[in-house]
Amino acid sequence: MSDFPVRERIAVVGLGYVGLPVAVAFARVAEHTVGYDIAEARVRALNEGRDETGELSASELGSTRLRLSSQAESLAGATMYILTVPTPVDGARRPDFRPLLSACAAVGPHLRQGAIVVVESTVFPGATEEVCGPALERASGLKSGHDFFLGYSPERINPGDREHRLETIVKVVSGQDAATLERVADAYGAIVKAGIHRASSIRVAEAAKVIENTQRDINIALMNELSMIFERLDIPTKEVLAAAGTKWNFLRFSPGLVGGHCIGVDPYYLTAKAEEVGYQPQVILAGRRINDGMGRFVAQKAIKLMVSAGIAPSSARVGVLGITFKENVPDLRNSRVPDIIDELKSFGIDPLVHDPHCCALTAKHEYGLSLDELPRFRNLDALILAVPHASYLAADAGVGDMVRSGGVLIDLKGTLADGRRSDDLVRWSL
């Protein structure tokens, strides 16, 4: 058996949370693998052994055969291009294909007869063939389905998850024709131990991806709505879910903020396509409205609790711990914690903000937020533990001690141990 079971020459376009692990994995099994990203600083950091996403260690980067480049010329000669660029939504929450179209424009001039372009980015059903295909044709002068071929294999990488990795998650693959499907399946089969699922068409694979996160979004929205109902009924949601969870078929979801690159974005790709074909989604958009409003709800609850405790919000010292979209990752994409902060500011509060994982420059650039040092979090009137990073939950972190006696502690996900007497603080969780 060859040392390199994959005979394709691989080029991965986009070296973020998704693309970098894919590129490194292919570099182990394909003799020629290049990872391309337009961000020169990102490529330079990776070449120096620094991955700001935290997905790969310096030793993993140091031992890879992967060639990293920010020069489009590096894409020449590949037989399989894998596009792993972001697919965000714009201000009107419509699909924004600009990054994907830019990737197609970069790849197009280097396409050769028989090459395959595989899209991993989340798109609506039909986009690979209706959006990427024509863009690649324009950039290459070649014809899709005749000169080059399309495939789709949805990414399923979960940032910060050390258990569910690229290699351990079943990979859905699809192709424009039977021969393309087999080439894509063979390539991914060499890096994914969990197995390959061959979808019957590209549109099926695209639809499967977009509903995975839509389903999760709706389930969390239901939990969030229940939490708002139970809050008005003075019933602890966490205890309700624990009781209901004793039934074998009760789905175990919890209320919380919904952000990140997938769950808070993907449903809009599906609803946009649904509206295009004449269907007005109801449940999906209702779930999105609920989840997008949770930051405001949490902030308003904090204000009400402060007022009830005799604390004047306009002069209160308030802290917010954690601003990334989930715990123990540096990813700020679509975080809903800034919504909490914005709402607090509308009441005249300028909260202290801390996060041990995110880059201060990124927080300033993306949200205009300045991060504070943790020693400043003392004698607070109110504290919101928005993201339960492991460092905050450590026994010696003393999060509860940051709040003065009689102050308000909002432990959003209910993850803190009760280290102080229940009457010492006003405590609340979703």
Side-chain angles (χ1 to χ4, degrees):
M1 181 179 178
S2 169
D3 290 338
F4 301 104
V6 173
R7 289 184 289 179
E8 305 284 356
R9 298 173 65 94
I10 305 290
V12 178
V13 180
L15 296 174
Y17 284 89
V18 175
L20 181 61
V22 169
V24 169
F26 271 118
R28 299 189 190 107
V29 297
E31 187 173 4
H32 301 281
T33 306
V34 62
Y36 166 77
D37 199 294
I38 60 172
E40 294 181 9
R42 170 67 169 161
V43 172
R44 184 166 56 251
L46 292 175
N47 276 321
E48 293 171 354
R50 294 181 288 108
D51 173 22
E52 64 183 17
T53 70
E55 293 299 301
L56 293 178
S57 66
S59 62
E60 288 173 311
L61 287 173
S63 62
T64 183
R65 300 177 63 261
L66 175 65
R67 178 188 170 199
L68 298 161
S69 177
S70 59
Q71 303 301 313
E73 291 74 18
S74 65
L75 297 173
T79 61
M80 183 174 290
Y81 295 88
I82 300 173
L83 310 187
T84 63
V85 297
T87 42
V89 291
D90 61 20
R93 292 170 178 163
R94 307 292 294 179
D96 182 356
F97 283 118
R98 285 178 296 176
L100 192 54
L101 290 173
S102 293
C104 292
V107 167
H110 305 287
L111 277 179
R112 296 294 179 265
Q113 286 285 141
I116 295 175
V117 179
V118 180
V119 177
E120 284 213 9
S121 309
T122 300
V123 294
F124 55 65
T128 299
E129 292 160 295
E130 297 166 9
V131 176
C132 296
L136 290 164
E137 287 180 337
R138 289 192 296 270
S140 66
L142 303 177
K143 185 170 179 58
S144 173
H146 182 268
D147 301 313
F148 70 90
F149 302 89
L150 298 171
Y152 185 79
S153 181
E155 63 89 3
R156 285 176 163 175
I157 288 175
N158 186 24
D161 190 335
R162 298 302 173 190
E163 179 183 355
H164 302 99
R165 312 295 292 169
L166 170 66
E167 297 82 0
T168 64
I169 305 171
V170 172
K171 199 78 167 82
V172 175
V173 297
S174 62
Q176 205 167 13
D177 56 29
T180 302
L181 173 61
E182 289 310 309
R183 280 178 64 185
V184 174
D186 286 346
Y188 279 106
I191 64 173
V192 178
K193 298 177 182 177
I196 300 296
H197 176 90
R198 291 168 171 80
S200 61
S201 70
I202 288 177
R203 290 167 64 88
V204 166
E206 292 167 325
K209 169 57 181 175
V210 82
I211 71 164
E212 288 174 11
N213 288 318
T214 298
Q215 181 190 65
R216 185 166 178 79
D217 189 45
I218 291 171
N219 276 293
I220 297 173
L222 174 60
M223 296 300 106
N224 281 333
E225 186 166 59
L226 292 174
S227 177
M228 289 187 280
I229 293 171
F230 294 145
E231 189 270 332
R232 286 162 174 77
L233 295 174
D234 195 27
I235 301 173
T237 304
K238 193 172 184 178
E239 294 181 22
V240 173
L241 295 179
T246 60
K247 189 179 181 188
W248 74 91
N249 61 353
F250 184 82
L251 301 179
R252 295 180 178 275
F253 287 89
S254 300
L257 303 179
V258 179
H261 66 300
C262 287
I263 300 179
V265 174
D266 294 0
Y268 290 122
Y269 274 76
L270 182 57
T271 57
K273 190 63 175 180
E275 290 168 352
E276 182 183 306
V277 296
Y279 181 80
Q280 182 61 40
Q282 303 294 322
V283 175
I284 298 172
L285 289 177
R288 282 280 74 237
R289 286 192 294 271
I290 291 171
N291 286 341
D292 280 348
M294 287 307 292
R296 191 178 309 110
F297 169 73
V298 170
Q300 291 174 357
K301 181 63 180 180
I303 297 297
K304 291 176 183 177
L305 291 174
M306 281 189 278
V307 171
S308 297
I311 301 168
S314 59
S315 59
R317 295 189 72 245
V318 178
V320 176
L321 294 177
I323 61 169
T324 59
F325 92 88
K326 65 181 287 190
E327 51 267 33
N328 307 317
V329 300
D331 197 346
L332 283 173
R333 287 175 296 176
N334 301 306
S335 173
R336 302 265 59 100
V337 180
D339 296 346
I340 298 176
I341 297 168
D342 287 345
E343 187 70 9
L344 290 174
K345 288 182 176 179
S346 73
F347 286 89
I349 297 170
D350 188 16
L352 300 171
V353 180
H354 179 269
D355 194 295
H357 292 280
C358 82
C359 169
L361 291 176
T362 304
K364 189 69 173 178
H365 179 266
E366 295 295 327
Y367 298 105
L369 295 175
S370 297
L371 300 186
D372 298 278
E373 298 294 329
L374 207 54
R376 295 192 63 196
F377 284 65
R378 293 292 180 269
N379 198 34
L380 299 174
D381 295 298
L383 177 65
I384 300 174
L385 176 57
V387 186
H389 294 307
S391 60
Y392 294 149
L393 304 182
D396 59 352
V399 168
D401 295 328
M402 297 177 184
V403 188
R404 68 170 176 80
S405 181
V408 174
L409 174 59
I410 291 184
D411 176 13
L412 202 63
K413 290 188 176 183
T415 50
L416 283 174
D418 190 357
R420 293 171 62 168
R421 293 179 301 125
S422 60
D423 59 352
D424 196 24
L425 297 175
V426 177
R427 300 174 68 112
W428 183 83
S429 301
L430 277 175

